[in-house]
C-alpha cells in the first residue's frame, strides 16, 4: 500500500516543492540584485556604524543586524523632533542618486509573493523523506512476485524512473535556493541558523518586505517637512 501511495502522491509533492524552491530563489535573488537596496544597505551600514561609535559600550563594533538597525532608524529623532535618521538616509540617497527614487523599491519587489512559508529546512526535509520513500519502492520492486500477471513491477519501474528524475531536479533546486538564501541572510548581518525555524524565518521576510513601506513613510515625512517650510 505504501508503495502505491509513493507512486500516486510523490510526483505531485516533488513538483510542488520544486515550485516553492523556485519562488524562494527568485525572491532572494530579487533582493540580492536590487541596486536600490545595495545603496540603502551602505547607508544603513554607515548609520549603524555611527550609532555604534557614539555609544560607549559599542565603540569599535562594526557588525550588526542590518534589519533590526533599519527598523530603529525612525526612532532616532533630530533635536527638535521634526525628522529622524531614516528621513536623513532617504535624503542622502536622493543626493547620491538624484535621478532615482528609493521609495520605488516596492516596485522592484512587487513580484515577491508568498515566501514567508517556504522554509528551506522544510524543503530539505521533504527531499530526504522522498529519497527514503523511493528507496523503499526500489526495494519492493526487487522482490519476486508469484502472480505472473501482476504488473506492479512494470508500472512501478516506469513510475520510479520518472520520480527519480524529478527528485534529482528537486535536489539541485533545493541546493541552489539554500545557498542563495544563506547569502542573503549573511549579507544582512544574520546567522543562517538563527532564521531556520518557521517563526524566525517568517520574521526575517516580514522585516525585509516591510522596508518599502517604511521608505514610503519617510518620503511622506520629507514632503511634509517641505510643505511646512
Amino acid at each position: 500500500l505504501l508503495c502505491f501511495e509513493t507512486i500516486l502522491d510523490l510526483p505531485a509533492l516533488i513538483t510542488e516543492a520544486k515550485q516553492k524552491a523556485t519562488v524562494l530563489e527568485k525572491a532572494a535573488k530579487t533582493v540580492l540584485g536590487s541596486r536600490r537596496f545595495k545603496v540603502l544597505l551602505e547607508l544603513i551600514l554607515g548609520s549603524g556604524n555611527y550609532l555604534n561609535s557614539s555609544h560607549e559600550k559599542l565603540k569599535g563594533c562594526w557588525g550588526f543586524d542590518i534589519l533590526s538597525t533599519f527598523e530603529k532608524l525612525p526612532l532616532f529623532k533630530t533635536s527638535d523632533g521634526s525628522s529622524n535618521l531614516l528621513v536623513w538616509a532617504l535624503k542622502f540617497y536622493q543626493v547620491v542618486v538624484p535621478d532615482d527614487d528609493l521609495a520605488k523599491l516596492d516596485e522592484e519587489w512587487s513580484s515577491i509573493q508568498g515566501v514567508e512559508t517556504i522554509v528551506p529546512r522544510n524543503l530539505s526535509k521533504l527531499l530526504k523523506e522522498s529519497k527514503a520513500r523511493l528507496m523503499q519502492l526500489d526495494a519492493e520492486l526487487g522482490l519476486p512476485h508469484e502472480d505472473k500477471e501482476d504488473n506492479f513491477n512494470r508500472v512501478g519501474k516506469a513510475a520510479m524512473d520518472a520520480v527519480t528524475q524529478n527528485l534529482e531536479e528537486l535536489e539541485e533546486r533545493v541546493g541552489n535556493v539554500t545557498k542563495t538564501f544563506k547569502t542573503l541572510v549573511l549579507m544582512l548581518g544574520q546567522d543562517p541558523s538563527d532564521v531556520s525555524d518557521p517563526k524566525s524565518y517568517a520574521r526575517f521576510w516580514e522585516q525585509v518586505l516591510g522596508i518599502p513601506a517604511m521608505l514610503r513613510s519617510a518620503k511622506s515625512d520629507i514632503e511634509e517637512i517641505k510643505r511646512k517650510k
Side-chain angles (χ1 to χ4, degrees):
L1 181 59
L2 290 176
C3 292
F4 278 113
E5 289 181 353
T6 297
I7 293 172
L8 292 174
D9 66 11
L10 196 55
L13 290 174
I14 293 175
T15 298
E16 182 182 1
K18 284 165 60 178
Q19 292 171 345
K20 288 181 177 180
T22 299
V23 169
L24 177 54
E25 184 174 18
K26 181 180 178 181
K29 285 184 175 180
T30 297
V31 176
L32 285 168
S34 171
R35 179 180 58 84
R36 289 188 177 107
F37 190 55
K38 287 177 181 176
V39 177
L40 176 62
L41 287 183
E42 292 178 5
L43 296 178
I44 297 174
L45 284 168
S47 301
N49 288 335
Y50 166 76
L51 295 175
N52 281 353
S53 64
S54 63
H55 194 291
E56 187 64 31
K57 291 184 178 181
L58 297 177
K59 280 185 178 180
C61 296
W62 297 92
F64 47 83
D65 182 341
I66 291 176
L67 294 177
S68 295
T69 299
F70 184 82
E71 288 184 326
K72 294 173 183 175
L73 294 185
L75 303 179
F76 290 89
K77 305 284 187 178
T78 55
S79 57
D80 60 1
S82 63
S83 186
N84 59 64
L85 201 51
L86 180 57
V87 169
W88 172 87
L90 189 55
K91 284 183 176 180
F92 193 80
Y93 182 91
Q94 292 172 343
V95 173
V96 175
V97 193
D99 59 340
D100 192 24
D101 184 357
L102 183 56
K104 291 183 178 180
L105 183 64
D106 56 348
E107 295 179 6
E108 290 187 27
W109 292 2
S110 61
S111 63
I112 302 177
Q113 301 286 338
V115 294
E116 298 90 341
T117 59
I118 308 176
V119 186
R121 186 176 71 178
N122 291 347
L123 292 176
S124 298
K125 180 180 178 182
L126 187 144
L127 176 63
K128 183 178 179 180
E129 291 174 348
S130 297
K131 285 183 175 180
R133 292 178 66 181
L134 198 61
M135 288 178 62
Q136 186 178 16
L137 176 59
D138 186 38
E140 178 66 23
L141 292 174
L143 296 176
H145 292 268
E146 296 180 1
D147 188 352
K148 295 182 179 180
E149 296 183 0
D150 187 351
N151 292 321
F152 175 76
N153 279 23
R154 179 177 59 80
V155 175
K157 182 66 170 62
M160 184 173 173
D161 290 343
V163 172
T164 298
Q165 182 177 352
N166 277 331
L167 198 57
E168 290 173 351
E169 293 174 0
L170 174 60
E171 185 169 20
E172 181 179 1
R173 290 194 192 184
V174 170
N176 290 339
V177 71
T178 300
K179 182 178 179 180
T180 303
F181 181 68
K182 282 184 178 180
T183 300
L184 174 61
V185 174
L186 289 170
M187 184 183 76
L188 296 178
Q190 296 192 29
D191 186 334
S193 63
D194 292 337
V195 293
S196 60
D197 66 276
K199 186 176 180 179
S200 60
Y201 173 83
R203 171 59 180 158
F204 173 84
W205 278 111
E206 179 186 351
Q207 288 179 296
V208 172
L209 299 180
I211 289 175
M214 293 180 67
L215 292 173
R216 288 195 302 272
S217 177
K219 184 179 180 180
S220 297
D221 290 343
I222 292 174
E223 293 172 348
E224 181 64 23
I225 293 171
K226 288 181 179 179
R227 282 194 293 269
K228 289 182 178 179
K229 289 183 179 180

